[in-house]
Amino acid sequence: MTTNSPQGFGYRARRTFTRLLVFLVILGLGGGVVFLLGQLNSRTFTLVQENGELMVMKGRALPTGAAAYRPGDPRLADAYAPLPLEGQDVTLLTQQKFTDRDDLDRALFPLLETLARPRIASGEPPKVERGLYYLRRAEKLSGITEEQRRSLQSMLTDVAFYQARQKLEDARRLVSEGLAQLKLASETENRHARSANQMLSTVGPAARDLEEALRRAVHTQSGPDNRDNSPVAPAPTPRPVTPASGDTSLQPFPASPTPDAGLTP
């Protein structure tokens, strides 16, 4: 009895230690698997349709679960913000998982292109502006393919015309408002009346010609294919500017005399 007792105790101790070691190994492996699954899930992107918008979701650092994707870089916040779908069917997109952001970008680009292209081609300023919104978001997708970049550049080239037309219209409106404000200042008894008259005398005719040229460029020559081919109405003759307080020195410059002016027939 005394001889076998130490051996029996040692055997039980070794068996207990072995079981404990196996349990710890299994526990460590399980924890490692959970950690790896969490890391994999944290790099996974999914898309969810909610309230007519497409939401970009990013996996949590857990084996399952996701939350709305909010990039740390504020410049990317608009690229992955909720996207208005405007009736587009995104069922196939919502059924996919993307293991990195490049895959997500390549999947989002066709949708943005579908939303942008018809609005840009419409030629209607509100729709073109809406199309530009989608193009700006597409520009921020860094993971798109070369073919998608060429398509994006093509759309940006197409929209350059509409942007130029809008800038010309803005310039025409600013010139018109500037002339109107100068005229108001020149007709009012204030310390700026003389300066306003001088400015009108100097730039008034040229500014009116510029305004009319911009009006024709924006509203006539830039029409859809200029299909009407209707004759352009002549520009209205600018009215002379009447200086304040009867100061004849501020009258508009007279027209240049003709070569025969002052000759007796």
Side-chain angles (χ1 to χ4, degrees):
M1 292 292 296
T2 57
T3 305
N4 295 332
S5 179
Q7 295 178 349
F9 175 78
Y11 172 75
R12 288 194 300 271
R14 286 194 301 272
R15 186 174 62 180
T16 301
F17 177 76
T18 301
R19 289 177 178 176
L20 179 61
L21 182 61
V22 170
F23 173 77
L24 291 176
V25 169
I26 293 174
L27 184 63
L29 289 175
V33 170
V34 170
F35 175 77
L36 291 175
L37 289 175
Q39 290 295 304
L40 180 62
N41 187 57
S42 67
R43 299 191 184 108
T44 300
F45 295 90
T46 55
L47 297 170
V48 176
Q49 184 175 354
E50 185 176 325
N51 298 325
E53 295 180 326
L54 190 66
M55 306 281 294
V56 179
M57 309 294 288
K58 192 173 187 294
R60 300 179 186 274
L62 297 171
T64 60
Y69 179 42
R70 293 182 175 85
D73 188 346
R75 293 173 297 179
L76 298 178
D78 290 340
Y80 302 104
L83 177 65
L85 292 174
E86 303 195 33
Q88 293 294 321
D89 184 9
V90 292
T91 303
L92 293 179
L93 282 176
T94 58
Q95 294 174 350
Q96 300 180 51
K97 285 188 176 182
F98 308 97
T99 55
D100 57 43
R101 208 177 73 189
D102 286 354
D103 289 341
L104 174 66
D105 290 353
R106 292 163 189 161
L108 284 175
F109 182 83
L111 175 60
L112 289 168
E113 182 180 17
T114 300
L115 290 166
R117 192 175 291 278
R119 289 166 176 80
I120 290 171
S122 69
E124 301 176 22
K127 290 185 178 180
V128 172
E129 186 62 31
R130 190 63 177 168
L132 274 172
Y133 164 75
Y134 294 117
L135 282 186
R136 293 188 189 104
R137 291 191 59 160
E139 282 186 288
K140 296 178 181 180
L141 301 179
S142 60
I144 59 178
T145 64
E146 286 302 317
E147 182 179 355
Q148 289 174 333
R149 290 186 190 281
R150 288 193 293 270
S151 178
L152 174 61
Q153 188 59 44
S154 174
M155 288 188 289
L156 290 172
T157 301
D158 290 341
V159 85
F161 167 77
Y162 300 106
Q163 288 180 304
R165 188 173 68 176
Q166 184 59 47
K167 291 180 187 301
L168 291 177
E169 172 61 18
D170 292 342
R172 183 204 65 78
R173 187 172 61 252
L174 289 173
V175 170
S176 177
E177 291 174 358
L179 288 175
Q181 290 168 355
L182 278 177
K183 188 173 185 300
L184 177 62
S186 70
E187 295 173 345
T188 306
E189 291 295 336
N190 63 79
R191 60 192 179 94
H192 299 297
R194 182 182 179 87
S195 297
N197 269 290
Q198 289 176 334
M199 292 176 68
L200 280 173
S201 297
T202 303
V203 304
R208 291 189 183 90
D209 290 342
L210 174 61
E211 181 190 0
E212 182 59 28
L214 291 172
R215 186 190 304 278
R216 291 185 183 184
V218 172
H219 298 288
T220 302
Q221 297 170 1
S222 66
D225 300 327
N226 215 6
R227 285 188 287 265
D228 56 353
N229 294 320
S230 56
V232 178
T237 303
R239 292 180 298 176
V241 178
T242 302
S245 304
D247 187 352
T248 57
S249 64
L250 300 179
Q251 291 285 355
F253 297 112
S256 300
T258 61
D260 297 334
L263 297 181
T264 305

